[in-house]
Amino acid sequence: MTDPRPAGAVHVRAPGKINLSLAVGSKGEDGYHPLATVFQAVTLYEEVLAVPDEVIRVSVTGRHTDRVPTDSRNLAHRAATLLAEATGIDAGVHLQITKGVPTAGGMGGGSADAAAALLACDLLWGTGLAREELGHLAGELGADVPFALTGQTAVGLGRGDALTPALARGRFHWVLAIIEDGLTTPEVFRAWDQLNSGARFAPRISDALMQALVAGDPRRLAGHLRNDLQIAAIELQPRLREVFAAFDETSALRALVSGSGPTVAALAPDHATALAIAAAVEQADVADEVLVVSGPAHGARLVESVRDSE
């Protein structure tokens, strides 16, 4: 059978993420909030196929494509442009993105696109950058992009892009309740500022949460899940109250908004229970889609390349 993909194409997959803990500090003079967060990559992926082209361009299929720009506003487009500029490459690429991560859902789908595009273009163009160099470029694109490159579990400080790998034993099983009406990160932070006007916060990571990850104990971990943006997200998207109420009626250990939302992630004690929780939440009809995923998952990774015919 003839391979339908063009010769020279590079296929890279990058994961979405859940913030197990997201502590937000008061906005600084630079306009940014210092963060202390723990990321976990999960088995929900963005697929990027990089095909040689005369210019840099993007096309998108999959989940929520109507809300994804394909011009220079697209993070994958920006990633390819940045890599070309940084390495002096005069080449184009057609980035064919298949979205599996919710758009504007708080799970870093756009960041995963950017990470996958960086790796795919590096391989396609033969720029030969080390992962550390790609990570530096990733940090220029957005706070979550470096983590999408590395995956697994990590602590993020500063804007979330100063990463330290974190040990997490075993697998953690999550049920995702997805709401189609997305929230943008800036609007959620603005709502957080309004709710916390005048207060001063210094973000930190709980030692108990890190110990629970090392122990691989979901019940211990559940007691230390945290998202400072959750109240703001609920204020902006009242449907979330119904989602949390539905999870309260199940065997979920704990539910929280992922990142800036509105995706809600509920931690289950095991895979079988996660499937039962998902079925119950689907029956409650409070979300537009319910998925079962697990973590930690690998970061951006080459799936395959299609070599030129000899």
Side-chain angles (χ1 to χ4, degrees):
M1 182 180 293
T2 302
D3 193 322
R5 294 162 303 177
V10 175
H11 179 191
V12 172
R13 174 179 295 149
K17 56 81 182 172
I18 294 170
N19 295 82
L20 308 183
S21 181
L22 178 53
V24 179
S26 303
K27 185 163 60 175
E29 293 182 359
D30 60 358
Y32 288 90
H33 298 78
L35 305 175
T37 188
V38 179
F39 297 106
Q40 183 163 97
V42 296
T43 54
L44 193 63
Y45 299 102
E46 299 286 272
E47 310 279 348
V48 174
L49 186 69
V51 180
D53 205 321
E54 295 181 358
V55 296
I56 295 174
R57 62 190 181 99
V58 171
S59 60
V60 184
T61 59
R63 185 179 272 116
H64 307 154
T65 56
D66 59 318
R67 286 186 263 148
V68 181
T70 57
D71 57 16
S72 59
R73 295 172 296 167
N74 184 284
L75 268 176
H77 191 293
R78 289 171 53 195
T81 302
L82 179 63
L83 179 64
E85 291 174 349
T87 57
I89 291 292
D90 183 17
V93 62
H94 179 193
L95 297 170
Q96 301 174 15
I97 300 172
T98 303
K99 295 198 65 64
V101 179
T103 300
M107 294 191 65
S111 297
D113 291 339
L118 278 176
L119 179 57
C121 291
D122 176 64
L123 295 170
L124 180 71
W125 295 336
T127 52
L129 296 188
R131 276 281 176 145
E132 182 179 354
E133 295 172 297
L134 288 176
H136 176 74
L137 294 178
E140 295 185 36
L141 293 164
D144 291 346
V145 182
F147 177 70
L149 268 178
T150 63
Q152 302 298 333
T153 305
V155 173
L157 301 177
R159 297 179 185 176
D161 57 341
L163 294 177
T164 303
L167 178 61
R169 290 193 171 94
R171 295 206 66 74
F172 296 88
H173 301 276
W174 301 90
V175 179
L176 304 178
I178 298 169
I179 291 179
E180 297 285 351
D181 299 328
L183 294 173
T184 68
T185 299
E187 70 177 324
V188 176
F189 272 100
R190 284 194 295 270
W192 186 90
D193 286 334
Q194 292 172 358
L195 290 168
N196 296 281
S197 177
R200 304 299 298 175
F201 298 96
R204 61 178 297 273
I205 298 298
S206 163
D207 291 338
L209 182 144
M210 303 307 295
Q211 291 164 6
L213 285 171
V214 171
D217 187 338
R219 296 185 185 277
R220 284 176 60 184
L221 179 63
H224 303 287
L225 298 177
R226 166 184 178 179
N227 185 352
D228 287 356
L229 295 178
Q230 183 161 298
I231 294 176
I234 292 172
E235 288 288 322
L236 292 169
Q237 181 49 270
R239 283 182 64 190
L240 292 175
R241 295 187 177 91
E242 298 177 4
V243 175
F244 280 101
F247 276 123
D248 286 343
E249 298 298 318
T250 71
S251 300
L253 300 175
R254 184 81 175 269
L256 81 165
V257 169
S258 178
S260 55
T263 302
V264 176
L267 181 60
D270 52 55
H271 180 64
T273 306
L275 293 175
I277 293 168
V281 175
E282 283 182 337
Q283 184 66 30
D285 196 25
V286 294
D288 297 304
E289 188 175 6
V290 181
L291 301 173
V292 174
V293 299
S294 64
H298 61 75
R301 177 180 293 184
L302 174 68
V303 177
E304 58 187 331
S305 60
V306 184
R307 297 185 180 277
D308 293 311
S309 300
E310 295 183 359

